Amino acid sequence: MLQNQGREMMIVTSGAVAFGKQRLRHEILLSQSVRQALHSGQNQLKDMSVPVLEARACAAAGQSGLMALYEAMFTQYSTCTAQVLVTNLDFHDDQKRQNLNSTLQELLRMNIVPIINTNDAVVPPPEPNSDLQGVNVISIKDNDSLAARLAVEMKADLLIALSDVEGLYDSPPGSDDAKLIDIFYPGDQQSITYGAKSRVGLGGMEAKVKAALWALQGGTSVVIANGTHPKVTGHVITDIVEGKKVGTFFSEVKPAGPTVEQQTEMARNSGRTLAALHPDQRGAIICHLADLLVEKKEEILAANKTDMDLAANAGQLSSALLNRLSLSPAKLNSLAIGLRQIAVASQDSVGRVLRRTRVAHNLELEQITVPIGVLLVIFEARPDCLPQVSALAIASGNALLAKGGKEAANTNRVLHELTQEALDIHGVKEAVQLVSTREEVEDLCRLDKMIDLIIPRGSSQLVRNIQRAAKSIPVLGHSEGICHVYVDSEAAIDKVIKIVRDSKCDYPAACNAMETLLMHRDILRTTLFDQIIDMLRTERVKIHAGPRFASYLTFSPSEVKSLRTEYGDLECCIEVVDSMQEAIDHIHRYGSSHTDVIVTENEDTAEQFLQQLDSACVFWNASSRFADGYRFGLGAEVGISTARIHARGPVGLEGLLTTKWVLRGDGHTAADFSEHGTLKYLHENLPVTQPQPRQMVAQRED
């Protein structure tokens, strides 16, 4: 693939000895079987043994088979290959080096892929027991140093050294604390503990690292990656060339700040201290952050103006995104009020007893709330999201890794500095980290051993990308907000007009805005129908007709391309149904389980709709825009989830908590309750002190 893109590719390979070994074993067994069959009879065949095979003889017998394999593979893609055999002596003689260089350059000029191998038929034999152990083992024969030498000689841009592990680890792979090193710097050699040498080859990973550093000093970039189990998209070589984070990249330039892995580790360690603080201390941190948002508003707004100017000059953001990017004194005041509400709510969040059971005498079991761990929140051009999610993470005792959009880089930097200043009053400054490096979402989603929950805040495409990439980390959110309003035949005209207008026109880009208006068939050609259409036209809403709605009209609006469309603008689909049950079936088929509304005066119809519809939020005679953490009195939200487990709907502080079981005993053992034991289970439910309800005032500038 890369060759056909116009890149110049060379392959350094091993395998001749292994090919020859298989071939010679076959020949020896065949000849032995023939001789023994002639002289000793068939019963002696099982006693045959294969003599030790000399490596150089194996290499001589295997070169043709190795090249036949490469030629067969590359011929399928109309790519020509050529074999080049070298030895160490070829690099010590200047004339031979020049000849080798000239040969390789000419092959590359003719668009031929050189397949380079050490000439194992003439090199000195390997040390005993260092190679050729087992039947299918491939002898590498120091191809690491050969590849590094060739890369420097040919001034290659990139050397990819393929291994049977994911890359370079700080300790032997498979050990308990082994961590994959994404970027390795020459000065980090002392921090690496190498394991035993590979059962194939001469040097193992240590030899690869030495060869990589030698090539790096010669001006060639190096990546060590797994060539046996390609990862990410299944093509490890092309992934590396495309710049994806695969394996270990060797770099001479060390960045000033910590890596994202180091940031995550710092956040987790500091987050555990945060979770152990008294609720009053966590509340004090949040209140201090709220004060800083007001006190430092000039500094925040100055940074935000810089981001706004850069975005306006780039001309790549829509007006809706520019509005989200913009901060104002009113927005900062509103944020501060919301943060203080979160501080109040945090008093009884972590460590709250949900259930208490007396299992037996002096043996009590409790289920209590605890933090989830490390949260990764990815948000686009919404700098106000950073203090919100930071406050929620602090209130719930979670560590936070925040990845903001580059459009708000300056604003996010200032807000993060203020957040860490607030955290520092109780020594947990590192609990909230801002990822400012150019980490791709896919790379962050690989940190499945360090991140416990991902919360995307942004476009549907962003959420879908994260859900695809995060294969091992739960994602809290929704990829689509296809919300419906169903107008029943018994709906009140004034309520319909108010609810439909607010659901569609209040904030069309919101995920809880109406996208499809379902109307009962009896409403067609009535005053109510005319008023709905007139209102939508007055609000400049573009109407797309569903198939059934279009069939009723002589001159219909443009027919909808798909009934499962999130417009995110002043557009909506209108469709006709025969009954409330048909409306439910339509929503189940085309909706996204986000928020759906029924407008009717019939209480029985409404109750059936509320009970049967399987969405995160189901409303009766209320706008879909109520699906919001502020309006629910949650103080703030980290997002709206359409998932079936954990949190669902607007997710506030409670959705960032999980539980653990605590058992307090007095020397009890399971044997005490066995058939011959002396104790019996009581399983007596004990009262749990419920927190006093607090008055929450939701304030928000939309």
Side-chain angles (χ1 to χ4, degrees):
M1 184 186 298
L2 297 174
Q3 181 78 5
N4 291 336
Q5 291 175 2
R7 301 178 187 271
E8 294 179 335
M9 308 297 299
M10 296 187 296
I11 295 178
V12 174
T13 184
S14 58
V17 174
F19 264 93
K21 184 179 181 182
Q22 291 179 339
R23 183 177 179 183
L24 293 181
R25 287 182 76 256
H26 177 76
E27 292 296 328
I28 292 172
L29 289 172
L30 182 62
S31 62
Q32 286 183 348
S33 65
V34 171
R35 287 196 302 271
Q36 292 191 18
L38 290 174
H39 297 96
S40 304
Q42 194 72 23
N43 293 332
Q44 300 296 322
L45 292 181
K46 60 180 69 178
D47 298 327
M48 291 187 298
S49 60
V50 179
V52 175
L53 299 175
E54 207 275 328
R56 287 175 293 183
C58 291
Q63 285 291 351
S64 59
L66 177 64
M67 278 309 299
L69 175 61
Y70 274 114
E71 287 179 4
M73 292 191 293
F74 277 97
T75 301
Q76 297 179 60
Y77 300 95
S78 302
T79 300
C80 185
T81 60
Q83 182 181 37
V84 180
L85 297 175
V86 297
T87 66
N88 286 334
L89 296 177
D90 295 325
F91 294 99
H92 297 312
D93 186 287
D94 288 341
Q95 185 60 49
K96 289 184 177 180
R97 281 177 57 197
Q98 292 176 13
N99 291 342
L100 176 60
N101 191 298
S102 176
T103 299
L104 294 174
Q105 293 286 6
E106 184 64 14
L107 291 172
L108 293 173
R109 187 187 66 81
M110 293 188 293
N111 203 33
I112 296 173
V113 177
I115 309 292
I116 306 161
N117 193 2
T118 52
N119 192 351
D120 293 338
V122 297
V123 297
E127 296 179 6
N129 299 323
S130 65
D131 267 334
L132 304 175
Q133 300 300 310
V135 176
N136 297 315
V137 176
I138 297 176
S139 177
I140 297 176
K141 234 22 227 165
D142 201 27
N143 276 335
D144 301 322
S145 58
L146 170 60
R149 187 65 182 264
L150 280 170
V152 174
E153 290 283 342
M154 300 298 295
K155 296 181 172 56
D157 298 305
L158 174 65
L159 165 61
I160 301 175
L162 296 177
S163 176
D164 59 355
V165 292
E166 302 302 324
L168 176 61
Y169 288 79
D170 59 358
S171 56
S175 58
D176 290 339
D177 298 322
K179 294 180 181 177
L180 178 66
I181 300 173
D182 290 308
I183 305 178
F184 183 77
Y185 308 98
D188 293 344
Q189 290 173 265
Q190 301 302 320
S191 63
I192 304 299
T193 302
Y194 296 103
K197 292 183 179 181
S198 171
R199 67 190 182 94
V200 293
L202 299 178
M205 185 56 72
E206 187 172 6
K208 275 186 167 53
V209 172
K210 289 180 179 178
L213 292 173
W214 193 88
L216 186 66
Q217 292 172 356
T220 297
S221 298
V222 183
V223 174
I224 296 178
N226 192 332
T228 56
H229 301 289
K231 55 188 297 187
V232 185
T233 61
H235 303 281
V236 66
I237 296 174
T238 50
D239 284 345
I240 292 170
V241 174
E242 290 171 5
K244 296 182 180 180
K245 185 178 280 189
V246 180
T248 301
F249 176 70
F250 285 70
S251 173
E252 290 186 302
V253 181
K254 194 166 188 175
T259 65
V260 67
E261 290 82 7
Q262 291 170 333
Q263 284 186 289
T264 309
E265 191 68 31
M266 290 188 294
R268 181 178 289 281
N269 292 336
S270 191
R272 286 171 176 152
T273 305
L274 172 68
L277 293 178
H278 190 274
D280 289 339
Q281 294 175 305
R282 288 193 296 270
I285 293 172
I286 299 169
C287 287
H288 187 43
L289 176 57
D291 294 338
L292 289 173
L293 292 179
V294 178
E295 294 171 11
K296 304 284 187 177
K297 65 181 177 182
E298 299 300 329
E299 183 180 348
I300 299 170
L301 294 175
N304 186 244
K305 185 179 184 303
T306 302
D307 288 329
M308 291 291 293
D309 292 342
L310 290 172
N313 293 333
Q316 296 180 344
L317 293 185
S318 64
S319 58
L321 285 178
L322 282 172
N323 288 335
R324 287 186 177 184
L325 178 61
S326 174
L327 292 179
S328 64
K331 269 191 176 181
L332 292 176
N333 288 333
S334 179
L335 273 173
I337 293 171
L339 263 57
R340 292 189 180 97
Q341 292 179 353
I342 296 172
V344 174
S346 69
Q347 295 301 308
D348 51 33
S349 56
V350 180
R352 186 172 77 253
V353 178
L354 302 179
R355 179 178 177 179
R356 181 179 285 120
T357 303
R358 180 178 288 120
V359 179
H361 182 65
N362 285 338
L363 185 63
E364 290 191 3
L365 177 68
E366 290 182 341
Q367 184 185 21
I368 63 173
T369 57
V370 293
I372 289 175
V374 178
L375 312 177
L376 168 61
V377 179
I378 303 173
F379 51 96
E380 294 178 320
R382 299 186 63 168
D384 58 332
C385 183
L386 181 55
Q388 285 179 358
V389 297
S390 296
L392 286 168
I394 294 166
S396 57
N398 286 292
L400 174 64
L401 200 64
K403 168 71 171 167
K406 61 182 179 181
E407 304 86 0
N410 294 286
T411 314
N412 287 336
R413 176 182 52 78
V414 174
L415 291 172
H416 177 247
E417 289 172 355
L418 297 179
T419 303
Q420 290 203 317
E421 182 180 337
L423 287 162
D424 205 26
I425 66 173
H426 287 296
V428 286
K429 179 181 178 181
E430 307 297 340
V432 175
Q433 296 285 330
L434 179 65
V435 179
S436 55
T437 57
R438 297 181 63 182
E439 298 288 335
E440 295 294 334
V441 169
E442 282 186 354
D443 298 331
L444 292 170
C445 292
R446 290 190 313 115
L447 304 177
D448 57 304
K449 294 182 180 179
M450 308 173 77
I451 294 172
D452 300 298
L453 179 67
I454 300 177
I455 305 172
R457 297 286 303 270
S459 65
S460 299
Q461 188 60 49
L462 171 72
V463 179
R464 281 192 292 268
N465 289 343
I466 292 172
Q467 288 174 334
R468 278 195 296 266
K471 298 177 181 178
S472 303
I473 308 175
V475 178
L476 188 151
H478 63 281
S479 60
E480 293 176 305
I482 304 174
C483 303
H484 296 73
V485 173
Y486 166 58
V487 180
D488 188 52
S489 59
E490 299 180 67
I493 293 179
D494 57 334
K495 293 179 183 178
V496 171
I497 300 301
K498 286 176 60 180
I499 290 170
V500 172
R501 177 189 286 116
D502 189 71
S503 295
K504 179 71 260 185
C505 307
D506 176 58
Y507 189 9
C511 62
N512 58 10
M514 180 192 78
E515 303 295 1
T516 298
L517 175 61
L518 297 176
M519 293 193 292
H520 193 282
R521 181 185 57 187
D522 294 346
I523 294 175
L524 294 178
R525 300 182 180 89
T526 65
T527 302
L528 174 56
F529 173 77
D530 293 338
Q531 289 186 12
I532 293 173
I533 299 300
D534 289 343
M535 180 273 294
L536 292 175
R537 285 175 177 168
T538 301
E539 298 289 345
R540 298 183 179 181
V541 177
K542 183 178 179 180
I543 297 174
H544 301 274
R548 287 196 61 187
F549 181 49
S551 68
Y552 285 101
L553 304 175
T554 305
F555 300 100
S556 68
S558 61
E559 188 166 340
V560 68
K561 295 180 180 178
S562 170
L563 290 169
R564 189 183 176 88
T565 301
E566 183 178 11
Y567 298 100
D569 206 342
L570 284 173
E571 299 180 58
C572 74
C573 167
I574 297 181
E575 184 57 311
V576 176
V577 293
D578 290 335
S579 64
M580 179 270 296
Q581 187 59 52
E582 190 173 316
I584 291 176
D585 294 340
H586 178 102
I587 295 170
H588 283 162
R589 182 173 182 181
Y590 299 109
S592 60
S593 301
H594 191 295
T595 301
D596 299 291
V597 177
I598 182 172
V599 186
T600 184
E601 295 304 299
N602 188 311
E603 184 175 351
D604 291 338
T605 301
E607 288 300 329
Q608 289 182 49
F609 185 89
L610 297 178
Q611 292 175 16
Q612 294 181 29
L613 191 61
D614 185 21
S615 295
C617 298
V618 189
F619 300 159
W620 172 24
N621 288 349
S623 168
S624 63
R625 293 281 288 127
F626 272 102
D628 179 273
Y630 279 88
R631 296 187 174 97
F632 278 16
L634 303 180
E637 69 176 32
V638 293
I640 295 179
S641 173
T642 56
R644 304 289 170 170
I645 57 174
H646 185 52
R648 201 170 186 217
V651 180
L653 182 58
E654 297 293 327
L656 300 182
L657 297 169
T658 184
T659 63
K660 72 177 179 183
W661 294 92
V662 176
L663 184 64
R664 295 181 174 89
D666 188 21
H668 295 79
T669 67
D672 295 335
F673 300 89
S674 66
E675 182 180 353
H676 303 290
T678 59
L679 297 178
K680 293 183 178 181
Y681 289 112
L682 298 176
H683 290 152
E684 176 186 351
N685 290 328
L686 301 176
V688 174
T689 303
Q690 297 295 333
Q692 293 298 316
R694 296 176 304 276
Q695 183 177 4
M696 302 294 289
V697 181
Q699 299 188 27
R700 177 173 182 175
E701 179 194 19
D702 284 320

